[in-house]
Amino acid sequence: ILIEWLENIHDWCISRSLWWGHRLPVFYCQQVKSSKCKVQKGIIISLEQPKNCPYCGSAELKQDEQVLDTWFSSGLWPLSTLGWADVEDKKIRGSEDKSLFGRYFPWDFEISAGEIKYLWIARMIIISEYLTGQVPFKTMFFHGMLRDLLGRKFSKSLANGIEPQYLIDKWGVDATRMALYTYSVPGRDGKVSKGILDERGKEVSLDLSASRP
């Protein structure tokens, strides 16, 4: 799937009609409606909100209400977390650049659930490759996920989640961790329920109690 995404890239709409997220850095001059401004289609692209229209001087500017696609914003992670390096320099770790980008890009190890390999992982690779000429990480590890007994993801809408604090309060932190570790087979999802985790938490708690002096 990942290779397919990287070798056969399609057009990608990078905006969404949501009420949260990074708003598009696009502003519209309101004087275009009265033909007083000649800016093409009234569109002004600016990282910072301009005080006046650069074409007619009007202060009547309105920012686009749409936001960047969630996964486009996520794809910027390698650059945004390392200080938005001057990508024209394309500096890499080991160079004389002492910035966070120069020290840590690309990093060695990335870990994620396999289900977002094309949603997030591929997009980080695409954007970093386009802007810096490099893949942002050297090794990718896909871990499994815990699902309910029907194989569905835990979600608020399905109300099928298991509150970790419940298990911690009942069996303790160590027992809860060990109960979850038993499902940590690389690349394979596990199916659990509150009852199953309760039973495993109880068994691990008894084992830990017996092993302590």
Side-chain angles (χ1 to χ4, degrees):
I1 293 176
L2 187 58
I3 297 300
E4 173 69 19
W5 267 73
L6 297 177
E7 291 186 346
N8 298 285
I9 297 176
H10 297 276
D11 289 341
W12 172 16
C13 178
I14 63 170
S15 67
R16 286 197 192 185
S17 299
L18 299 173
W19 287 110
W20 58 87
H22 299 103
R23 286 182 71 178
L24 297 177
V26 176
F27 302 85
Y28 302 95
C29 179
Q30 301 303 291
Q31 292 298 319
V32 173
K33 299 176 182 179
S34 60
S35 301
K36 294 181 179 179
C37 183
K38 301 301 181 182
V39 57
Q40 186 178 13
K41 296 182 179 180
I43 297 176
I44 302 164
I45 300 176
S46 174
L47 294 179
E48 303 294 335
Q49 182 168 356
K51 294 182 179 180
N52 302 92
C53 173
Y55 298 93
C56 71
S58 172
E60 294 184 59
L61 301 175
K62 181 179 180 180
Q63 186 173 359
D64 197 305
E65 293 184 351
Q66 292 205 332
V67 302
L68 290 173
D69 173 66
T70 304
W71 297 110
F72 182 85
S73 292
S74 300
L76 295 172
W77 176 267
L79 301 175
S80 63
T81 57
L82 296 178
W84 296 104
D86 182 356
V87 295
E88 293 300 321
D89 290 341
K90 296 186 177 179
K91 293 178 179 179
I92 61 174
R93 185 171 55 185
S95 68
E96 295 180 357
D97 182 16
K98 300 303 180 182
S99 68
L100 287 176
F101 182 81
R103 292 171 59 190
Y104 298 113
F105 187 95
W107 57 86
D108 292 321
F109 189 81
E110 179 68 28
I111 182 170
S112 174
E115 65 163 358
I116 58 173
K117 64 170 67 76
Y118 62 95
L119 291 169
W120 186 33
I121 304 306
R123 283 168 164 83
M124 285 197 290
I125 294 174
I126 290 170
I127 294 175
S128 292
E129 174 72 25
Y130 177 78
L131 293 175
T132 72
Q134 300 179 82
V135 175
F137 36 78
K138 299 176 181 177
T139 303
M140 184 70 232
F141 179 85
F142 293 114
H143 60 72
M145 293 180 60
L146 291 183
R147 300 178 179 271
D148 68 14
L149 295 181
L150 296 178
R152 302 174 301 180
K153 288 176 60 177
F154 292 124
S155 72
K156 292 181 180 179
S157 59
L158 292 176
N160 61 347
I162 302 172
E163 175 57 58
Q165 193 60 51
Y166 159 79
L167 297 169
I168 293 172
D169 291 341
K170 193 167 185 179
W171 308 114
V173 174
D174 290 339
T176 298
R177 285 174 174 168
M178 291 304 298
L180 294 174
Y181 283 161
T182 59
Y183 287 96
S184 60
V185 179
R188 192 177 76 185
D189 294 346
K191 295 180 179 181
V192 298
S193 66
K194 188 175 180 179
I196 290 175
L197 286 179
D198 251 343
E199 187 62 31
R200 292 204 177 193
K202 179 180 179 180
E203 291 175 358
V204 173
S205 180
L206 291 173
D207 289 341
L208 290 174
S209 296
S211 64
R212 290 185 179 125

